[in-house]
Amino acid sequence: MESPKSYNMRFEPLGQKMFSRRNWLLRCSILINIAVILYIGSQLMIGGGNNFANGGSFMLQEQQQPVVSALQMAAASQGPQQPPQQPPIAKHRDLAEIFEAEERLLANADATGAAAAAAEAAAAAAQAAAPQAPEIAPVIPANDSGGAPVVNDPSQVIGNIGAGGIGVPNAPNPELNNTQSDGYIVTGDEKELEERVRSLINCYDRDYHQQTLQRGDFWVLQNYVRAEHGEIKCHESITYTTHADYTFLDNLIPLLERWNAPVSIAMHAPGTDFQPTVDSIRYLRECLPGSHLVRAYTTFHIYFGTKHIPRAVPKPQDVFKTGYNCTLPAPYFNITSGHLYKAQKKLLYPVNVGRNIARDSALTHFILASDIELYPNPGLVKKFLEMIARNEQYLRRKAPRVFPLAIFEVEESSPVPHDKTELQEFLRTGKAIPFHKRVCASCHGVPKSKEWMSANETDELSVFHIGKRTGYYVHWEPIYIGTHADPHYDERLSWEGKSDKMPQGYALCVLDYEFHILDNAFLVHKPGIKVLKKDNRRAMLSGKTNQLIRKIIYPELKIMYGMRRGCAI
């Protein structure tokens, strides 16, 4: 029989072959896991930082690119690859599921396509690790105010302004300021601007009737002396709302010269203070070079306690039947608070009653509730409405908002600066300081104030920074442009007892208000820098007010508005 043929065959030991392949796959898996961990770490580093550069420009945090692993580079070197079609990733997928996906893909890879399979696994892991914006709210780091507000709608959040500075994925342009509007361009046409603002804000026109009302323990003569502007539309302007007794009326014309828009002022005039209050109004309307501004823009309301009614209250139409003798000095000239009926009867000044009367009587949607001694920079009203008309992305956020103004004091011999550039020069030379720096710095300290003061002035008005009333600013008493929808001031508090704005500030915090700090807008106090003075009566009344707030008002606020982490009175 013929012997069988012999064949030269070479067999590789099975164990050695399996060991080589498993060793290679293990190395691939390690590289992929490192890539995933680095990618997740890079995502956690996105956001944070509330710094601004060059004026009011917002720097949008750029979205970091996924980490490219050595395996992906190797796969790319083999030629162009079509991106694999991945099924939708379920919400809340954890790392264990990611690694299982890697193992399934690697187990199905053969020797020739191992590199491509590894690249596919890396892509699947990166996609699973990436946060899905419509499904999972991004983590917000605490801002410089110390707060970490909750974001209900991530699509409404834009990068690096206010609460935490969250970057928008795939942001088309890192410069946000004046680049994210909905296409409207301010042309200078007043009518077009008004129509644009009206289309954006939800407001209704208000009556301008003269009324006699009761408000708690006070009688109110609403619109007692009306401005000649007559009825105005809610979208047409901003109303400066304030309060005073007649000894402060020397501030009205300097205020109007810079504001040039409606002013609603509530005058406290109990008992014998009523007549000099009316005389002061007549003097301001008839006897001064700036009287035309008073007549055109200022509406006066008068209020007094039910136990301190004047002997006679003329009808509004009878106040100006006869002209005022302008050869006489101003009724408020050289009159101190000690001369007032209020002082003689030891009455407290009901500051918040006046604030609320003036605010509720304003005809416009937007209001600047302020103090009569605080003068705004000229041109603010028009620039603010132009900002509203541009409707940039930060104005389309869902959270309620107000627009605080930075406040400053200047030396008594100094003029009031007209614009931010002049203000910066005053600050540099020491002629100006932040408001109440020597009395209560924390009460009016504005978030990002140092950056605000160093940023250059720009032609337009925009939002410089979005802050919160938390952390260091938990007792911040901002003065801001708001609307009729904002919480009222607590009318049980007096000027003498201090802390009169604190309950409202707490309500704003609990309601999760955002404070959109304006870049080129500011207020300056009547010249003269305030210093802390010892006042035993006010110290005693302040103690009583604190007891009232702690024992009565604060428990009420917690019931009415609730509580939020970081908010305090």
Side-chain angles (χ1 to χ4, degrees), residues 202-229:
N202 183 24
C203 70
Y204 61 90
D205 298 333
R206 294 170 175 264
D207 293 331
Y208 199 35
H209 302 319
Q210 292 171 319
Q211 301 182 78
T212 300
L213 308 170
Q214 272 193 296
R215 190 182 191 106
D217 292 332
F218 294 89
W219 283 101
V220 180
L221 307 177
Q222 188 180 43
N223 300 325
Y224 188 67
V225 177
R226 293 183 292 185
E228 291 177 354
H229 60 57

Side-chain angles (χ1 to χ4, degrees), residues 72-92:
Q72 290 171 304
M73 295 174 63
S77 67
Q78 294 181 1
Q81 299 279 340
Q82 290 295 327
Q85 297 296 323
Q86 297 294 336
I89 305 297
K91 290 199 291 185
H92 311 301

Side-chain angles (χ1 to χ4, degrees), residues 329-380:
Y332 48 80
F333 177 72
N334 207 24
I335 301 295
T336 64
S337 60
H339 292 88
L340 296 175
Y341 174 92
K342 173 180 75 72
Q344 295 167 6
K345 299 295 182 179
K346 297 183 180 180
L347 303 179
L348 300 180
Y349 180 60
V351 57
N352 285 345
V353 177
R355 284 186 177 126
N356 290 339
I357 290 171
R359 206 188 85 164
D360 291 345
S361 304
L363 300 177
T364 58
H365 175 72
F366 289 111
I367 50 182
L368 171 54
S370 184
D371 294 336
I372 195 171
E373 293 182 299
L374 296 177
Y375 308 155
N377 58 304
L380 173 57

Side-chain angles (χ1 to χ4, degrees), residues 335-543:
I335 301 295
T336 64
S337 60
H339 292 88
L340 296 175
Y341 174 92
K342 173 180 75 72
Q344 295 167 6
K345 299 295 182 179
K346 297 183 180 180
L347 303 179
L348 300 180
Y349 180 60
V351 57
N352 285 345
V353 177
R355 284 186 177 126
N356 290 339
I357 290 171
R359 206 188 85 164
D360 291 345
S361 304
L363 300 177
T364 58
H365 175 72
F366 289 111
I367 50 182
L368 171 54
S370 184
D371 294 336
I372 195 171
E373 293 182 299
L374 296 177
Y375 308 155
N377 58 304
L380 173 57
V381 173
K382 183 179 179 182
K383 288 186 176 182
F384 181 86
L385 294 178
E386 288 175 347
M387 180 189 74
I388 296 300
R390 293 196 304 270
N391 195 31
E392 295 169 24
Q393 186 173 347
Y394 53 81
L395 295 178
R396 301 196 293 272
R397 292 158 67 103
K398 290 186 176 180
R401 69 186 67 86
V402 291
F403 300 88
L405 282 69
I407 314 175
F408 299 90
E409 299 177 74
V410 295
E411 293 178 344
E412 190 168 2
S413 60
S414 172
V416 179
H418 277 72
D419 55 39
K420 186 176 181 181
T421 302
E422 189 177 2
L423 171 65
Q424 287 172 320
E425 177 62 21
F426 282 29
L427 290 166
R428 187 184 66 80
T429 58
K431 293 181 179 179
I433 62 172
F435 188 56
H436 278 190
K437 182 178 180 180
R438 300 175 185 174
V439 177
C440 180
S442 64
C443 296
H444 294 279
V446 179
K448 296 291 178 184
S449 58
K450 291 182 180 178
E451 292 86 344
W452 186 98
M453 287 185 272
S454 62
N456 293 331
E457 184 175 12
T458 57
D459 292 334
E460 293 180 340
L461 185 67
S462 298
V463 173
F464 180 79
H465 172 72
I466 298 179
K468 291 281 186 174
R469 191 181 181 270
T470 54
Y472 176 79
Y473 305 99
V474 71
H475 297 301
W476 181 25
E477 294 182 328
I479 291 181
Y480 54 80
I481 296 174
T483 71
H484 289 276
D486 304 328
H488 280 68
Y489 300 93
D490 195 300
E491 298 185 7
R492 291 169 287 187
L493 303 181
S494 67
W495 175 82
E496 291 82 358
K498 305 180 181 180
S499 302
D500 45 83
K501 294 179 185 174
M502 291 300 179
Q504 194 225 31
Y506 174 81
L508 293 174
C509 182
V510 171
L511 293 172
D512 203 24
Y513 266 70
E514 294 180 341
F515 294 82
H516 290 225
I517 299 162
L518 300 173
D519 57 359
N520 300 312
F522 58 90
L523 297 165
V524 179
H525 192 275
K526 176 184 178 180
I529 294 177
K530 291 188 175 183
V531 295
L532 187 61
K533 296 179 181 178
K534 189 175 182 180
D535 188 331
N536 292 331
R537 181 171 183 257
R538 287 199 75 183
M540 179 269 294
L541 292 170
S542 176

Side-chain angles (χ1 to χ4, degrees), residues 22-319:
R22 289 180 62 187
N23 190 37
W24 190 88
L25 290 176
L26 179 61
R27 292 179 182 180
C28 291
S29 179
I30 291 173
L31 285 174
I32 293 168
N33 291 340
I34 292 173
V36 170
I37 292 169
L38 288 175
Y39 181 80
I40 293 172
S42 71
Q43 292 299 309
L44 294 176
M45 294 299 293
I46 290 177
N50 289 313
N51 297 323
F52 298 87
N54 296 330
S57 296
F58 299 128
M59 297 303 296
L60 192 64
Q61 193 78 9
E62 294 183 1
Q63 182 74 10
Q64 295 189 14
Q65 298 299 321
V67 176
V68 181
S69 69
L71 291 177
Q72 290 171 304
M73 295 174 63
S77 67
Q78 294 181 1
Q81 299 279 340
Q82 290 295 327
Q85 297 296 323
Q86 297 294 336
I89 305 297
K91 290 199 291 185
H92 311 301
R93 195 172 195 180
D94 58 19
L95 289 178
E97 293 173 319
I98 295 170
F99 296 147
E100 288 173 5
E102 297 169 10
E103 291 172 0
R104 284 197 302 271
L105 289 169
L106 289 172
N108 294 330
D110 57 18
T112 59
E120 185 176 351
Q127 183 173 352
Q132 302 298 313
E135 299 174 348
I136 304 174
V139 177
I140 309 173
N143 59 17
D144 68 338
S145 304
V150 177
V151 178
N152 296 320
D153 186 359
S155 67
Q156 296 299 313
V157 178
I158 55 178
N160 218 18
I161 60 175
I166 305 163
V168 178
N170 305 318
N173 193 329
E175 292 293 327
L176 178 64
N177 192 14
N178 301 334
T179 63
Q180 299 294 327
S181 68
D182 55 7
Y184 176 78
I185 300 175
V186 176
T187 63
D189 187 315
E190 294 290 338
K191 187 174 182 180
E192 181 184 340
L193 175 64
E194 290 178 5
E195 290 302 317
R196 169 69 174 178
V197 172
R198 186 177 185 91
S199 69
L200 290 171
I201 61 177
N202 183 24
C203 70
Y204 61 90
D205 298 333
R206 294 170 175 264
D207 293 331
Y208 199 35
H209 302 319
Q210 292 171 319
Q211 301 182 78
T212 300
L213 308 170
Q214 272 193 296
R215 190 182 191 106
D217 292 332
F218 294 89
W219 283 101
V220 180
L221 307 177
Q222 188 180 43
N223 300 325
Y224 188 67
V225 177
R226 293 183 292 185
E228 291 177 354
H229 60 57
E231 294 187 1
I232 59 177
K233 303 297 184 182
C234 61
H235 62 281
E236 289 180 345
S237 189
I238 307 172
T239 302
Y240 189 109
T241 67
T242 189
H243 56 91
D245 60 50
Y246 74 92
T247 65
F248 284 85
L249 286 177
D250 60 309
N251 295 284
L252 184 57
I253 289 180
L255 167 63
L256 285 165
E257 288 173 343
R258 300 166 68 88
W259 182 246
N260 274 291
V263 171
S264 173
I265 179 169
M267 304 295 303
H268 184 231
T272 57
D273 288 344
F274 182 85
Q275 191 57 48
T277 298
V278 172
D279 291 341
S280 297
I281 295 171
R282 295 173 66 194
Y283 180 85
L284 286 165
R285 286 174 58 96
E286 299 176 18
C287 301
L288 296 171
S291 290
H292 64 287
L293 296 173
V294 181
R295 293 192 301 271
Y297 293 122
T298 310
T299 296
F300 296 88
H301 324 281
I302 297 180
Y303 69 106
F304 40 80
T306 55
K307 296 180 180 179
H308 302 278
I309 298 177
R311 289 183 179 274
V313 177
K315 300 296 181 183
Q317 60 270 23
D318 296 334
V319 172

